[in-house]
Amino acid sequence: MRQDPTPAAAGPRRIAALVFLLLAGILAGTQLGKIAPLVAWYRAEAGFSLVMVGWLTSTLGLFVALAALPAAFAIDRAGLYRSYLVSAIALGAGGVGLALFDGPLAALAARLVEAFGYLILVIAIPALLATLAPERLKAPALAIWGGFVPLGYAVADFLSAAMLPAHEPQSFLLVSVVSFIVLAALAAWLARGLEPIADTTRQVADTPGAARMASSFSASVALSALAFGIYVILSIGFFTFLPSFVAEGPAVALSAGMIALLVPLGNVLAGVLLKGGDARFAALVVMAGFLASAASAVPFFGAADPIVATVSAMVFAVAGGVVAAAIFASVPFIVPPGGSSAIVIGLIAQSGGLGTLAGPPLAGYIIGQFGWAGFGWTLAAFSLLGFACMAPLLARRRRLA
C-alpha cells in the first residue's frame, strides 16, 4: 500500500477505516449465522433435504477448519489489502447468489463462493487491523474482532426477527449481504493507500516466502493457537447444548440467546484491559479468563439454585469473550521478527476451525455418558488445560525481561 501523502490528516480516516473493517467483519459473521433462522423454510418451502441444509449451514466454518493456514500463506504472498478486496467481492457475490437462487445445487454453489470469501476475509481483516491500527489501538481493535462471530449471529437473529414476519426469506438474505457489501466497500475506500504502522512483513519484504512462513512459527504462536483451539472446543460445546440445558435444568433467569450476547462484553473488557499492554499482560488476561471459565462451569451445570446457575452462566460467557479477545489482541506482541501477522492469525483461525468441528460431538458424547454435571467438569478441565498452555508464555516473558 502507498504511503498516505498527508499522514497527519489521515488520523480520523485511519480510525474510520478500523471501525468499518470491524463492522464489515461483524456482518461477515452474520453471513455465517443467517441460515439458522431459515432452516424450517428451506425444508418446508424450498424443498431442501436435511443434508443440504446442513451443508448450507456448515460450509463457511468447514472451509476455515480445513484451509485457514494455507489461505494465510496465500494472503501473505498476495498482500493484505488485495486479499481483502478479493474476499469481500467473493463473499458479497456468493451472498447475492444465495438470496436469488432457489434451486438446491445453485444455492450450494453460491454458498461455496461465500465460503471462499469468508475464509480469506476472517484472516485478512484482523491482519489489516494489526498493521493499520495505531499502537495504542491495536489490542482494543483485535479484542473487538475476537467477538465478530457472536456479534454477527446476534445481528442475524435480530434482523431475521424484524424481517421474516413481514418479508420473504430471500429479502432477509439480500438485506444481510447488501449490508455487508456497503460496509466492506466503505472500509476498502477508507483503508486504500493507508501506510501500515507496524507491519512486521515490511521489514523483510525481500525475504523469500518460505523463509517468512518459517519465521512466523514460534513457541508463543503455537501455544496461543493451541489455547484458542481449546477455547473454541469448550465454548462451542457450551453454546451448542445451552438451549437444551436451559430447557431441562434449573430456572435460569436468562435465555440461551441472552447468555450468548454476553460474550461481546468480555471482548470489550479485554480491549479495555489490554490498551497499552504487552505480551506478558495479555497472557495474564487469557489465563484469568480460563480460570473464570473453570470456576463457573461446574456450578452452572451442577447447581440446583437458579441464581447460582444464572450468575455462573454469565461469568462463563464473559470469560470466554475475554479469552478469545485477549488471544487475538496478543497477535502484534507474539509475531516473531521477520514473521507475518497474516500467517499467525491463519494458524490461530485454523486451530479454532478444528475446535469448531470437534467441540459439538465431544460435548454430545460427554453429556450422553456422564450427564450435565460431567459436562461441567469437562469444561472446567479444558479451561485449566488452556490456562496451562499460556503459563509457559508468562514464564518465558519474565525470563526475557
Side-chain angles (χ1 to χ4, degrees):
M1 287 181 281
R2 296 176 289 101
Q3 185 171 2
D4 196 313
T6 55
R13 178 183 168 194
R14 185 178 294 271
I15 300 303
L18 297 176
V19 170
F20 278 96
L21 282 169
L22 284 168
L23 291 175
I26 292 170
L27 265 294
T30 299
Q31 311 315 305
L32 183 66
K34 67 186 178 183
I35 301 297
L38 302 179
V39 170
W41 175 80
Y42 271 116
R43 292 188 64 198
E45 302 295 332
F48 284 32
S49 66
L50 276 176
V51 173
M52 183 64 71
V53 174
W55 277 113
L56 286 180
T57 303
S58 64
T59 299
L60 267 63
L62 185 63
F63 264 48
V64 175
L66 296 178
L69 190 55
F73 293 158
I75 291 169
D76 181 65
R77 298 304 298 161
L80 296 181
Y81 185 77
R82 183 183 303 172
S83 299
Y84 168 77
L85 288 179
V86 171
S87 62
I89 292 171
L91 185 61
V96 171
L98 186 65
L100 299 180
F101 300 150
D102 53 8
L105 293 181
L108 181 59
R111 191 64 165 168
L112 289 172
V113 175
E114 261 193 315
F116 170 77
Y118 180 84
L119 167 65
I120 299 176
L121 198 75
V122 298
I123 300 171
I125 287 182
L128 280 170
L129 293 173
T131 59
L132 293 180
E135 198 64 34
R136 62 187 175 85
L137 295 180
K138 286 185 187 297
L142 286 166
I144 295 172
W145 169 258
F148 85 99
V149 170
L151 285 170
Y153 266 84
V155 171
D157 289 340
F158 289 130
L159 185 61
S160 63
M163 291 193 64
L164 291 180
H167 300 277
E168 292 295 321
Q170 292 94 332
S171 299
F172 158 68
L173 291 172
L174 195 58
V175 168
S176 68
V177 73
V178 168
S179 300
F180 163 77
I181 291 171
V182 171
L183 293 172
L186 286 171
W189 176 68
L190 290 165
R192 182 176 180 271
L194 289 180
E195 176 73 7
I197 290 180
D199 186 354
T200 57
T201 65
R202 293 182 69 234
Q203 54 188 296
V204 288
D206 297 327
T207 303
R212 187 159 62 254
M213 293 173 193
S215 299
S216 300
F217 294 93
S218 68
S220 297
V221 171
L223 288 170
S224 296
L226 180 59
F228 186 71
I230 291 170
Y231 154 75
V232 171
I233 289 175
L234 64 91
S235 176
I236 199 74
F238 176 83
F239 286 110
T240 297
F241 292 95
L242 181 61
S244 298
F245 177 75
V246 169
E248 299 174 15
V252 182
L254 297 177
S255 67
M258 288 302 299
I259 294 172
L261 282 179
L262 295 174
V263 175
L265 293 181
N267 302 138
V268 174
L269 176 60
V272 172
L273 290 174
L274 291 171
K275 187 176 182 180
D278 56 16
R280 186 170 182 271
F281 186 66
L284 279 171
V285 172
V286 174
M287 294 167 71
F290 274 125
L291 280 182
S293 296
S296 57
V298 173
F300 176 59
F301 288 102
D305 188 332
I307 295 178
V308 173
T310 301
V311 173
S312 298
M314 295 171 65
V315 171
F316 189 92
V318 173
V322 168
V323 169
I327 290 175
F328 273 104
S330 69
V331 167
F333 307 132
I334 64 174
V335 175
S340 163
S341 58
I343 294 176
V344 172
I345 291 170
L347 182 61
I348 293 172
Q350 183 81 69
S351 180
L354 294 174
T356 301
L357 294 182
L362 177 62
Y365 172 79
I366 295 296
I367 294 168
Q369 293 293 316
F370 305 103
W372 292 112
F375 184 49
W377 283 104
T378 302
L379 292 179
F382 269 95
S383 298
L384 293 176
L385 182 60
F387 177 91
C389 284
M390 300 303 294
L393 275 68
L394 191 63
R396 183 167 180 254
R397 290 296 170 179
R398 184 182 291 113
R399 288 196 299 271
L400 289 175

